[in-house]
Amino acid sequence: MSRLHLAIQKKGRLADQSRDLLKQAGIKVQDTKTGLTARATNFPLDLMLVRDDDIPTFVGDGVCELGIVGLNVLEEYRLGQDEDDVEIIARLGFGRCKLMIACPESEAFDMSALEGKRIATSYPRMTRRFLAESGISAETVTMQGAVELAPRLGIADYVCDLVSSGQTLEANGLKPVETVLESESVLVRTLKPIDGAMAELVDALKARTDGVIATSESKYIVLNAPENALEDITRILPGAEAPTVMPLLGRQGQVAVQAVCQESVFWETLEQLKGAGARDILVMPIEKMML
Ligand code: PRP
Ligand code: ZN
């Protein structure tokens, strides 16, 4: 029987969350002794544990049918290919960060300051595209890591690097000024031909991860309300289509409302619902969902 191959980051910003996603999708994973692969015990799936920068290559070559990778790494890879050999099949919502131009903290920056300067980055293709689109001619200096040290070392004037919390830049006396790419992790699939059985496995795995993504934000809401407040309440419920409305026994004009909310439910939402006349509001997590 065929088994799917999924490339994920071995260690780093996406490693734990990639494994969490599989776990939430009900897939149990057992690491092998080599530390290079892992095996799902209850789904026909093998994991390849690799460096994030290698994931697009593994998927593009068809060595792995699937991969979980940051959009930042994927875009940089794509810009170096003549023809796409990888396609995004889902945005996963975790590992959010931005690729940004940063300058010394004390500098009053505007775009024209980049003209004729040197910019250190691990993402030279995206940086060059950004500069070209902005009509700036500047030089990029490619570094594999420790990019944030470049200005202090005199290697470059500016950097173009990933910013998540912003701590790395701050610790190096730099501030982010322009966004080059907004990134998050994505599920990618090879564009190399795969056989029917394998394609079915891809679909089955994607249906599970889609379910996980849908439930992570979704909540089930139950409340009681006067019938005449229904219109207001339906409007307030975030991302809920066609709630179920049932009469309450022995309470004229009062109804029970049940709805799946596809967006986050905040305390403010509950306060608004109460303000519109809702009572006995319950918000419940949804464990599994298949759309
Ligand atoms: C990025 C980036 C910075 C850091 C920024 O590296 O190069 O060093 O994260 O994060 P912060 O804003 O929260 O301080 P990453 O961990 O992705 O490693 P890699 O680029 O070497 O794969
Ligand atoms: Zn990396």
Side-chain angles (χ1 to χ4, degrees):
M1 193 178 145
S2 46
R3 292 178 72 83
L4 268 183
H5 304 88
L6 171 71
I8 65 167
Q9 196 181 26
K10 185 178 168 66
K11 53 179 191 221
R13 67 169 65 232
L14 301 182
D16 290 345
Q17 284 164 301
S18 302
R19 283 175 175 256
D20 274 355
L21 175 67
L22 295 175
K23 193 172 168 188
Q24 287 173 299
I27 295 169
K28 293 197 178 110
V29 171
Q30 217 163 50
D31 284 281
T32 57
K33 287 213 179 75
T34 60
L36 302 172
T37 57
R39 198 180 159 82
T41 54
N42 59 352
F43 196 95
L45 172 74
D46 291 328
L47 302 184
M48 305 272 234
L49 311 174
V50 298
R51 278 174 39 119
D52 59 352
D53 314 72
D54 293 333
I55 293 172
T57 311
F58 273 85
V59 178
D61 286 348
V63 175
C64 293
E65 293 80 26
L66 294 172
I68 295 176
V69 67
L71 205 53
N72 53 309
V73 170
L74 181 69
E75 279 299 306
E76 188 65 18
Y77 168 83
R78 275 175 151 179
L79 289 177
Q81 301 295 109
D82 293 331
E83 213 172 299
D84 273 339
D85 50 12
V86 171
E87 71 170 337
I88 296 174
I89 56 172
R91 292 190 163 247
L92 300 174
F94 61 80
R96 284 183 205 275
C97 58
K98 291 181 184 177
L99 181 65
M100 296 191 78
I101 306 271
C103 75
E105 229 150 35
S106 56
E107 186 173 319
F109 179 87
D110 76 82
M111 278 296 285
S112 63
L114 295 174
E115 190 64 41
K117 296 283 170 46
R118 289 160 69 84
I119 304 164
T121 186
S122 307
Y123 300 87
R125 298 185 189 113
M126 269 193 282
T127 305
R128 275 185 227 127
R129 180 178 63 178
F130 174 78
L131 291 170
E133 282 171 1
S134 314
I136 303 272
S137 70
E139 199 183 325
T140 55
V141 181
T142 305
M143 295 173 69
Q144 292 316 326
V147 168
E148 58 280 353
L149 297 179
R152 229 186 325 168
L153 298 173
I155 300 168
D157 308 287
Y158 299 97
V159 304
C160 181
D161 199 10
L162 287 188
V163 183
S164 162
S165 67
Q167 279 179 40
T168 305
L169 288 183
E170 203 185 311
N172 288 282
L174 301 170
K175 65 177 178 193
V177 284
E178 289 287 335
T179 301
V180 174
L181 180 87
E182 301 217 11
S183 181
E184 68 180 288
S185 55
V186 291
L187 180 64
V188 291
R189 170 198 167 126
T190 187
L191 285 172
K192 292 264 150 54
I194 56 177
D195 69 34
M198 209 60 118
E200 267 175 43
L201 289 177
V202 167
D203 291 345
L205 186 70
K206 181 170 160 14
R208 292 229 198 162
T209 55
D210 282 350
V212 173
I213 298 158
T215 49
S216 67
E217 289 236 300
S218 302
K219 293 281 182 284
Y220 195 72
I221 291 199
V222 178
L223 57 84
N224 293 340
E227 217 171 343
N228 60 19
L230 270 178
E231 203 177 305
D232 284 346
I233 286 171
T234 320
R235 197 167 349 102
I236 297 165
L237 287 172
E241 279 161 38
T244 307
V245 177
M246 290 168 292
L248 284 175
L249 188 65
R251 285 207 233 154
Q252 191 83 82
Q254 294 283 318
V255 290
V257 178
Q258 300 182 1
V260 173
C261 291
Q262 310 257 13
E263 292 160 33
S264 301
V265 178
F266 301 103
W267 281 107
E268 290 76 46
T269 317
L270 302 191
E271 281 155 11
Q272 285 168 16
L273 288 170
K274 201 171 170 202
R279 292 289 175 272
D280 310 323
I281 309 169
L282 296 181
V283 181
M284 291 170 280
I286 295 171
E287 196 185 275
K288 291 188 180 63
M289 196 187 265
M290 186 144 296
L291 301 170

